[in-house]
Amino acid sequence: KFVSFAVQVADETKKANLQFSSFLGNSEKASKLVSDLQGFSRAKFLDTSEVLQSGKALLAFGESADNVVPVLSRIADIAAATGKDFSELSTIYGKARTSGVLYAEDINQLVDAGIPIIQEFANQLGVSNDQVKKLASEGKISFEELQLAFFNLTKEGSKFAGQAETNAETIGGAWKGL
C-alpha cells in the first residue's frame, strides 16, 4: 500500500508540475509553486489534490503565482471557521476577482457560508449594513474590498486568524490531512 501511495503522490506531483507550467510558462516557477502548495496543504492538514486544484483555479482567475499561497491561507482560515467548503470558497473568491465587483448574489453566498461579510464591508466603507446591501445590488463593491475583508477577517488577532491550524490540531483535522 505504501508503494502504491508513493507512486500516486509522485504521479500527482508530476501532473501538477506540468499543469502549473502551462499556466506560468516556466517549469521552475511551477515546480516551486507546486512544492509550496504541497507544504501548505500539509501544514494546514488540507487535501493536497484540493489545494492544487484551488491553486490552479486561482491562477486561471488571474491571481499571481506569488499570491496564491497567501490567498489560499486566508480562504482556508475562513473555511475552517465557518465550515464552508474550501474549494467552493476558492471559486467564489476567484469569480469575484475575475468580475472585479461583488453583487448581491456573491455577498449572499458568503453570508450563507456564515462569513460576516456585510458587517466587514460596513466597517470598511463606513456605512450601515443596509447600505452595503444597496451598494452590492448596484455592483458598487469592488473585488479589492473583498480582498481587504478576507485579510481583515484572518489577520493576526482577528476573528478567523489561524483557524485552519486550530482545526488541524484536532483528530478529525489530522485525519483529513492524510
Side-chain angles (χ1 to χ4, degrees):
K1 286 186 179 185
F2 175 76
V3 171
S4 176
F5 177 75
V7 169
Q8 180 184 359
V9 168
D11 185 53
E12 182 178 80
T13 300
K14 177 75 173 166
K15 285 179 184 175
N17 280 325
L18 291 170
Q19 292 167 342
F20 278 80
S21 282
S22 66
F23 276 106
L24 300 174
N26 180 315
S27 62
E28 288 178 24
K29 199 171 188 180
S31 181
K32 182 183 177 341
L33 182 55
V34 168
S35 177
D36 290 348
L37 288 169
Q38 288 172 327
F40 165 77
S41 70
R42 284 189 299 273
K44 303 276 186 171
F45 285 95
L46 294 168
D47 179 81
T48 301
S49 297
E50 191 175 14
V51 169
L52 291 171
Q53 187 62 37
S54 292
K56 284 185 285 189
L58 286 182
L59 288 174
F61 287 127
E63 193 63 62
S64 74
D66 294 335
N67 287 333
V68 168
V69 173
V71 168
L72 288 178
S73 183
R74 288 190 286 278
I75 290 170
D77 282 344
I78 292 171
T82 62
K84 180 68 175 170
D85 181 78
F86 173 76
S87 294
E88 287 179 41
L89 192 53
S90 297
T91 300
I92 292 168
Y93 184 92
K95 285 181 178 179
R97 185 183 208 300
T98 299
S99 70
V101 296
L102 276 84
Y103 293 98
E105 179 183 328
D106 303 313
I107 291 176
N108 287 338
Q109 285 183 303
L110 296 170
V111 169
D112 289 345
I115 302 168
I117 200 73
I118 292 176
Q119 295 85 352
E120 185 58 37
F121 285 147
N123 292 340
Q124 286 174 210
L125 300 170
V127 299
S128 71
N129 289 356
D130 288 337
Q131 288 173 307
V132 168
K133 293 174 188 175
K134 184 177 185 312
L135 290 169
S137 70
E138 297 169 351
K140 292 185 178 175
I141 297 181
S142 70
F143 171 71
E144 288 77 15
E145 294 295 339
L146 179 64
Q147 284 180 306
L148 181 58
F150 273 37
F151 176 80
N152 287 339
L153 289 168
T154 59
K155 68 184 177 186
E156 189 173 328
S158 68
K159 181 178 280 196
F160 298 151
Q163 286 297 300
E165 287 90 351
T166 300
N167 282 7
E169 293 171 2
T170 67
I171 291 173
W175 183 263
K176 183 179 178 184
L178 295 177

